[in-house]
Amino acid sequence: MRTIKEKIRKHPCSVLMLFCLMFIASPFFCPFSMAQDTKPKVGKQSQDNEFVFTPQWTAQAQFAGYYVAEAKGFYRDAGVKVKIEHPSSTEPAMSRLRQNKCQATTLQLCQAMEIVDGGIPLVNILQTSMNNAMVIVSSRGKDPLTQKGAKVGIWSVGFGQLAICMSIKDHLDYEWIRFAQNTNLFVAGALDATLAMSYNEYYQLVQAGMKVSEKTVYRFCDHGYNVQEDGVYMNRDYFEKHKEQAMRFAKASRKGWEWAAQHPEETLDIVMSYTNKANIATNRVMQRLMLKEVLRLQVDRESQKREFRLRPDMVRKASQLMVENHMLSRPITYEELMPKK
């Protein structure tokens, strides 16, 4: 059985094109790393009364609830002094967490499992995503399931674990081409298809004038791969020593998301203040689309409610898929990811 590194092959022409397009068109480089093999390092601790939160990406509506909680004073009211610090290309989110430069970050469930499997114990203190947002968008009007052996873009920072499982299970034998920001390579015609998030890159492609349809878009959540994504995680050792602070942060963050769902336009004002301050190349239309989709993905399909909880059945499904396809050395359980009672 090939290793995951062997499955995700670099294509010389694509890599060259990636660097050319990235420096021409991309406002930022990849700010997140999936390093798994490094134990937490001892670094300079933040002040005891300050809780530093680092989202896994640069400022955008994907993290609107946390911005709202800070802007509306929900963290202050909860007695937690929160500072939101975004990652950078030289200091990704997980690296900041390992070095004690932040107390919490956001991770997708599959990512968190890989990190725990790599020896870093994590605990989930808040789950925002209840549904999977990943899609495959194909070019030239083709169905992704008919493109056996196709060159398919995959994030160089992770996020594509379920897609690798699907390719193996359905005998598609995709050739995975790594990218930092996928719309450039795909729009340029260097890829047959690309992975995208329904709240982010999918809309970037639409704004770029790409024609998409149900025939050319494969939604993982509709094909047996509906595994939760974003949740808030922290190092378990820190959590055990600061449980009250951690749960106050989680409760105030949930309040921020609930407020965002009720006040989308005012939430967008807050989001845009963050993107403008960080000089992110975006616009209000894009962020409105992202916010709407992120909020939709927070509603559980079965209960039709925002549950803000990690589902044990989805943990089991993700663990089974990843173990079967050699992305985990052992099963990761729901209990390993949750606070101990």
Side-chain angles (χ1 to χ4, degrees):
M1 177 65 69
R2 291 176 297 172
T3 65
I4 296 306
K5 289 183 179 180
E6 290 172 331
K7 292 169 187 168
I8 307 177
R9 300 186 291 272
K10 288 188 177 181
H11 190 281
C13 294
S14 296
V15 172
L16 178 60
M17 186 179 294
L18 167 62
F19 278 96
C20 293
L21 290 171
M22 180 180 67
F23 286 106
I24 294 172
S26 177
F28 52 84
F29 187 64
C30 163
F32 185 83
S33 173
M34 278 300 298
Q36 305 176 92
D37 301 323
T38 305
K39 296 283 186 178
K41 297 178 180 179
V42 178
K44 183 179 180 181
Q45 291 279 2
S46 298
Q47 297 178 2
D48 290 339
N49 64 341
E50 184 175 74
F51 189 99
V52 179
F53 170 63
T54 298
Q56 78 237 44
W57 200 248
T58 53
Q60 58 184 19
Q62 181 182 359
F63 314 113
Y66 311 109
Y67 303 154
V68 166
E70 182 183 53
K72 305 300 290 186
F74 298 158
Y75 291 135
R76 182 183 63 248
D77 295 344
V80 185
K81 184 180 179 182
V82 175
K83 184 177 183 181
I84 299 176
E85 294 183 347
H86 290 87
S88 67
S89 58
T90 57
E91 196 170 60
M94 197 58 211
S95 176
R96 288 177 55 82
L97 187 68
R98 289 199 311 272
Q99 297 177 37
N100 295 317
K101 292 184 177 181
C102 70
Q103 281 63 61
T105 186
T106 54
L107 293 170
Q108 292 188 1
L109 173 58
C110 290
Q111 291 174 298
M113 286 181 160
E114 286 189 330
I115 293 168
V116 171
D117 187 45
I120 301 177
L122 298 176
V123 59
N124 177 302
I125 63 170
L126 177 69
Q127 183 66 33
T128 56
S129 160
M130 297 302 294
N131 299 284
N132 196 275
M134 191 165 60
V135 302
I136 298 177
V137 181
S138 67
S139 59
R140 295 179 283 278
K142 294 183 179 180
D143 183 338
L145 294 181
T146 66
Q147 293 181 292
K148 188 173 182 178
K151 291 182 173 64
V152 181
I154 188 171
W155 296 278
S156 59
V157 293
F159 309 138
Q161 295 90 345
L162 292 180
I164 295 172
C165 291
M166 183 272 275
S167 176
I168 297 171
K169 184 176 180 180
D170 292 349
H171 307 289
L172 291 170
D173 196 28
Y174 286 151
E175 180 180 356
W176 299 107
I177 307 299
R178 304 181 191 188
F179 61 76
Q181 191 177 5
N182 76 312
T183 55
N184 296 329
L185 280 178
F186 185 65
V187 172
L191 303 174
D192 299 309
T194 187
L195 296 183
M197 291 300 178
S198 64
Y199 55 80
N200 192 359
E201 293 89 359
Y202 174 84
Y203 286 123
Q204 291 181 30
L205 293 173
V206 172
Q207 286 196 338
M210 298 292 294
K211 293 182 179 180
V212 296
S213 67
E214 288 304 311
K215 177 183 177 181
T216 61
V217 177
Y218 176 97
R219 298 181 184 275
F220 284 81
C221 62
D222 295 335
H223 297 274
Y225 298 95
N226 194 23
V227 172
Q228 290 170 285
E229 294 181 330
D230 287 5
V232 179
Y233 291 84
M234 60 171 47
N235 186 282
R236 185 170 287 279
D237 289 341
Y238 182 90
F239 173 79
E240 294 298 335
K241 296 175 183 178
H242 304 86
K243 288 184 180 180
E244 184 177 353
Q245 181 197 47
M247 299 320 295
R248 285 182 179 181
F249 170 80
K251 185 176 180 179
S253 297
R254 173 173 175 166
K255 185 176 180 180
W257 278 113
E258 292 171 335
W259 192 95
Q262 296 296 320
H263 306 86
E265 286 303 315
E266 190 171 347
T267 296
L268 281 172
D269 292 337
I270 296 171
V271 169
M272 294 309 297
S273 71
Y274 275 84
T275 61
N276 291 336
K277 183 178 180 180
N279 296 314
I280 301 300
T282 187
N283 56 66
R284 192 179 182 93
V285 172
M286 175 65 190
Q287 294 304 313
R288 180 182 287 110
L289 291 169
M290 181 182 291
L291 178 62
K292 183 178 180 180
E293 178 67 357
V294 167
L295 291 173
R296 185 188 72 81
L297 292 165
Q298 291 181 357
V299 178
D300 185 80
R301 286 185 168 191
E302 297 176 13
S303 69
Q304 293 299 302
K305 295 179 181 178
R306 285 189 172 82
E307 298 188 7
F308 294 100
R309 71 180 181 96
L310 192 59
R311 286 180 45 165
D313 60 323
M314 291 196 182
V315 174
R316 286 193 297 272
K317 178 185 288 187
S319 180
Q320 181 179 353
L321 283 168
M322 294 174 71
V323 168
E324 288 176 352
N325 292 287
H326 306 277
M327 279 180 263
L328 293 177
S329 64
R330 63 176 180 84
I332 302 298
T333 66
Y334 171 80
E335 289 72 22
E336 284 183 84
L337 300 175
M338 296 302 294
K340 289 181 171 61
K341 296 181 180 180

